[in-house]
Amino acid sequence: MASRKVDALLVGSGVMSATLATLLKKLDPSLNVLMVERLDRVAGESTDGWNNAGTGHAGYCELNYTPQDAEGTVTIDRALTINANYEISQQLWSSLVTSGDLPAPDQFINPTPHISFVWGEKNVEFLRQRYEKLSAHHLFADMEYSEDAETLKQWMPLVMGERSAEEPVAATRVAYGADVDFGSLTRHLVSSLEQQDAFDLCLNHEVTGLKKSDRNHWNVTIKNRATGAKETITAGFVFLGAGGGALPLLQKSGIPESKGYGGFPVSGQWLVCQDENVIKEHHAKVYGKAAIGAPPMSVPHLDTRIINGKPALLFGPYAGFTTQFLKAGSKLDLLKSVSLNNFKPMVDVGLNNMDLTRYLIGEVMQSHKDRVATLKQYLPAAKESDWVLSQAGQRVQIIKKDEKGRGKLEFGTELVSAKDGSLAALLGASPGASVAAKAMIDVLECCFNMRMEGGWKNKLKALVPSYGKSLIDDARLLKEVREHALSTLGLQKETGQSDIQQPEQFHRSAG
Ligand SMILES: Cc1cc2nc3c(=O)[nH]c(=O)nc-3n(C[C@H](O)[C@H](O)[C@H](O)COP(=O)(O)OP(=O)(O)OC[C@H]3O[C@@H](n4cnc5c(N)ncnc54)[C@H](O)[C@@H]3O)c2cc1C
């Protein structure tokens, strides 16, 4: 069997591995980095534009980031954290545009107002309280709120058209929200990496095994999916950025930190609009409230998208049950992931999440007509024939033990790393690609501690100027870094603009 040696082996070519590889090569260009991808293309799973919602998750419109407790009090801590973490991504992308590692920003990010929209008295009350709390914080100071039907019509004419005037409605808007084509972003990052020395991309190769050697290196087996030929790579550091495929690889690594983790896959589907006239009339991401029992990432939304340079309009996601961990995975993925050390937590989760099970069964049983009926709550004039169903990516939610050893289902993202820093894996998928920069900086802090102390931190500050400081606490710093990033990325800062703008007419302040 052939063999070779690298400093870092990154499994998968999604946004996470691409971001980590970019950071590593910026911090030390001499590092020998190998990226291994089982598909024949880069970013073909969750990161591809058609497989995710492309929302630059900043907590502006996602109502599940500001939950209400039993007394009706809205808590905003999660929204603040997500917003501050998203700013880290925007700073990194902005630096990479300036350095020429990324192309003109409209090739991967586009200004798209982020709107939360609710109807019914109770929901209006919730949104008002959410707005009051969020807008009092500097991170959300530019958020607008309105209960006035005319204003809302200007923000989203199709959503407000043919709607009963009797019903109380309300919306918030942040004009400089973004639609991000994470697939395009990632492909640009990888092609920039490919132009550098000591970086290799191995497509159509699957990591099938990994074992720690006596010399504290990892021996990683990769298999050519076309020829079946196997090769062993010796790596000083391994990142399991395999998306849904990360859990099985983490289990294979055998590190003590991997014990007890399980995965619960949830698939997604969109309704995609085929009528260009409808697509042209809507320009926003409009998020509503999730149905009872729905997992947090299934909040319905109507999204203006620009995918591979073309405008599109998507509604969803509709969740579904699946046993695959990857869209191009195997039906046996879930079964194969069950082991003695995660069997109990997985059974606990199955028994204790009946609402979720009922919700998923309900979603799977829906007809096209049922799905369009949900869409009509957002787009009253929607015609069944204008919309077709399309398969989104897979998310594998994390199952882990709670303090009492019982299984619990988590909807966030978690970094699991070996104590000696030689391996890290990213599990879960929310808030996902939007916080890739923060998640990968966490990998550097966990696994490259000595290099960070030895000079990488200063280099990182050049890429992410707020690094090491809190944007939640520092209003002045936030203003500075946000204005710079919005300007470099061509996103609007002005609020109060009411005209609908078509994607090709987007006002870009720089680029
Ligand atoms: C329906 C849906 C909507 C979403 N919406 C949003 C959103 O609006 N905003 C947002 O920020 N995030 C969103 N996300 C989450 C986001 O897409 C993911 O968090 C992100 O793309 C994950 O990137 P990744 O690099 O970890 O994984 P992926 O993009 O899945 O990449 C992993 C790669 O690893 C490869 N791989 C797997 N196993 C192996 C192996 N053994 N050997 C070699 N290669 C392997 C896979 O083929 C794949 O290419 C959404 C996800 C879904 C499914």
Side-chain angles (χ1 to χ4, degrees), residues 228-291:
K230 286 189 175 177
E231 187 183 349
T232 300
I233 313 283
T234 303
F237 167 73
V238 175
F239 175 61
L240 305 178
L247 176 69
L249 290 175
L250 179 65
Q251 291 172 326
K252 279 185 183 164
S253 77
I255 60 169
E257 294 79 2
S258 70
K259 302 279 184 273
Y261 281 95
F264 182 83
V266 178
S267 62
Q269 290 173 318
W270 315 111
L271 281 179
V272 179
C273 182
Q274 297 199 300
D275 184 335
E276 288 194 0
N277 292 321
V278 179
I279 298 172
K280 268 197 275 181
E281 288 299 310
H282 180 81
H283 178 223
K285 283 176 178 280
V286 179
Y287 274 61
K289 281 203 101 176

Side-chain angles (χ1 to χ4, degrees), residues 307-325:
I307 303 176
N308 302 323
K310 276 189 72 180
L313 185 58
L314 271 65
F315 180 76
Y318 298 90
F321 178 71
T322 169
T323 54
Q324 285 177 217
F325 281 180

Side-chain angles (χ1 to χ4, degrees), residues 7-21:
D7 295 314
L9 185 148
L10 313 187
V11 188
S13 66
V15 67
M16 297 299 170
S17 288
T19 304
L20 183 59

